[in-house]
Amino acid sequence: MLKTQHLDSPTSKRGRGPRLKTMFSRSRRNLARWFTLSMGSVLVVFAGVVYYLEAREQFQVFDQGLYQKSKAIAAGVKYEHLRKHRQGGLENFPQLSNHTLPLDSDLTHIRWYSPSGRLVRFVGTFPQAQLSTSPGFQTIKPASNPRGATSPAVWLRQLTLPIRQGDVLVGYLQVAAPLTPLHSTLDQLRLLLTLSLPISLGVIGLTGWFLGGLAMRPIRQAYEQLQQFTADASHELRAPLAAVLSNAQVGLLTPVGDGLQQRQRLENIVEIAKSMASLVNSLLFLARHEGLLVPEALKDVDLVHLLRELAESQIELIAAQNLKFASQLPAQPLVLHADPELLRQAILNLLSNACKYTLPGGKVQLRLFTQSRYAVIQVEDSGIGIPAADLPHVFGRFYRVDVARSRSTGGFGLGLAIAQQIVQVHGGRITAKSVLGQGSTFQIELPL
């Protein structure tokens, strides 16, 4: 009994769609996830840098303001020192004349120390009797609040400034201001960054999902075409292989003396093998000729001469099929850069397709003319035409339009696909127009 292997069962075809959708959805999620993580990391680092630079600038502005106020107070100290002619005689110095700060002052304390570091006068909080800090800026951490206090402790920025009169050290001036305004500004910046980061990450995630879909779309289309191409190729190869196996098995069962049947079986095997060889050659052609041709493969081709030779070689073959053939070619040469053998094969495929779908007594025409900066080749027939629903798919691989209505059932549905690929590798395009029952026109446009 003859057994055949079904490469694509209905169950496998039904299951392939959900698996394919799941695979590409998972890939899309992974792309979106990694895009979000990478861009989110960059965004977090950028936000940290922005916060650091802004905080440093705010501290510099704050320190500059505190230093300017200290310099103004120090100028008054020097004036009092010169007027009294004695060190530390600052009883009438306005800022230190009493133990209260002005209402409009944003300082927490002003302290004056002698050159030896002993406290002389102060305004504000009570200090230590001896200077314990080195000159310059210090940030003073808040002490713990008294029990029952509700307001948060205030951080201070303090500046200790040595005061000199010429080369003589007059004393040390120490001033401090609360960091509350600076902290308020930085708190607002932190709040803004904290709220904007999740929103930005969400936008990045949605963008990654969208871009992942765009990136996966051509890959998915190519994968689906490959899957469909593999399924179609396996289907087309399965039928001739089954026929070869069937003829071989029947031949083995035929009595040895019956040479006529043996010969018929062998002839069938030869014809099927030729058909399979043609299919394999077509598949190899489609696999090899991808992308544009390299410049080294292009030659200066006189398209008029090429088509004239092609028309002369096909007149008798087309007439043998009881069809009329006419060609309309310009008198002047038309030269372009192309591969002549590939162009010849593409046009032969169009002529073969036209003859296949034209009934006896019909007409096939070959035309060549120029339009703008393109050379236009037309193959027109008066055949059965192509339904509007099938017209967008006629260049698909293994696609055949109602084979039962054509004059011949031969072929694998690769002729137009090969013609399209040849035109595309030359940087051109091929289109088809048809009216059902009146005929079809295939047009090739090649750049000059």
Side-chain angles (χ1 to χ4, degrees), residues 350-414:
L350 294 183
L351 290 173
S352 174
N353 185 77
C355 294
K356 184 186 301 183
Y357 290 94
T358 303
L359 299 177
K363 186 177 182 180
V364 177
Q365 298 184 71
L366 175 64
R367 301 189 188 94
L368 172 64
F369 56 92
T370 59
Q371 185 175 16
S372 184
R373 300 176 59 184
Y374 289 88
V376 180
I377 305 172
Q378 286 185 347
V379 176
E380 182 179 353
D381 64 69
S382 59
I384 61 177
I386 303 172
D390 293 322
L391 197 58
H393 310 288
V394 292
F395 295 105
R397 299 177 181 182
F398 296 104
Y399 192 86
R400 284 170 288 191
V401 181
D402 197 1
V403 179
R405 292 168 40 180
S406 65
R407 298 182 66 242
S408 172
T409 59
F412 298 99
L414 293 175

Side-chain angles (χ1 to χ4, degrees), residues 70-248:
S70 301
K71 293 290 287 186
I73 297 174
V77 171
K78 291 180 181 180
Y79 173 77
E80 289 294 324
H81 176 71
L82 290 175
R83 192 170 65 86
K84 296 295 183 179
H85 297 287
R86 66 178 185 272
Q87 185 176 348
L90 303 173
E91 291 82 358
N92 297 321
F93 181 50
Q95 282 87 348
L96 300 175
S97 60
N98 52 59
H99 292 282
T100 60
L101 289 168
L103 294 177
D104 59 347
S105 176
D106 56 354
L107 301 176
T108 58
H109 61 256
I110 305 174
R111 299 165 184 171
W112 175 255
Y113 291 90
S114 67
S116 62
R118 183 177 56 84
L119 179 65
V120 178
R121 285 186 178 274
F122 72 93
V123 174
T125 58
F126 188 82
Q128 296 179 354
Q130 189 68 28
L131 181 65
S132 60
T133 58
S134 58
F137 288 96
Q138 299 90 29
T139 299
I140 303 176
K141 296 181 179 180
S144 57
N145 285 350
R147 186 172 300 177
T150 57
S151 60
V154 178
W155 287 68
L156 302 178
R157 188 68 169 169
Q158 180 177 273
L159 172 62
T160 303
L161 191 65
I163 308 300
R164 296 181 181 275
Q165 186 65 49
D167 294 334
V168 179
L169 179 63
V170 178
Y172 293 94
L173 179 66
Q174 191 176 79
V175 296
L179 288 173
T180 304
L182 187 144
H183 284 171
S184 177
T185 301
L186 295 181
D187 287 343
Q188 293 178 1
L189 179 60
R190 281 197 301 269
L191 178 62
L192 176 63
L193 293 177
T194 303
L195 294 178
S196 61
L197 275 177
I199 297 175
S200 301
L201 289 176
V203 173
I204 290 174
L206 293 177
T207 304
W209 178 260
F210 175 74
L211 294 179
L214 291 181
M216 295 300 297
R217 186 177 301 170
I219 300 175
R220 180 169 185 172
Q221 290 177 351
Y223 186 83
E224 289 176 345
Q225 290 176 358
L226 178 61
Q227 291 288 94
Q228 185 63 39
F229 177 77
T230 304
D232 292 339
S234 64
H235 172 75
E236 296 294 341
L237 287 171
R238 185 169 61 241
L241 284 174
V244 169
L245 183 60
S246 174
N247 280 277

Side-chain angles (χ1 to χ4, degrees), residues 338-351:
D339 186 321
E341 296 302 323
L342 292 181
L343 285 184
R344 184 179 287 108
Q345 181 174 353
I347 299 168
L348 281 175
N349 286 355
L350 294 183
L351 290 173

Side-chain angles (χ1 to χ4, degrees), residues 296-336:
E296 293 78 10
L298 302 179
K299 302 177 182 178
D300 289 338
V301 179
D302 182 1
L303 204 54
V304 176
H305 180 70
L306 186 146
L307 293 182
R308 184 175 291 115
E309 288 186 344
L310 188 61
E312 291 175 355
S313 66
Q314 295 297 308
I315 289 178
E316 295 184 1
L317 294 176
I318 296 176
Q321 301 179 53
N322 197 18
L323 297 175
K324 298 177 182 179
F325 178 69
S327 59
Q328 299 177 9
L329 306 177
Q332 299 298 325
L334 183 59
V335 180
L336 51 76

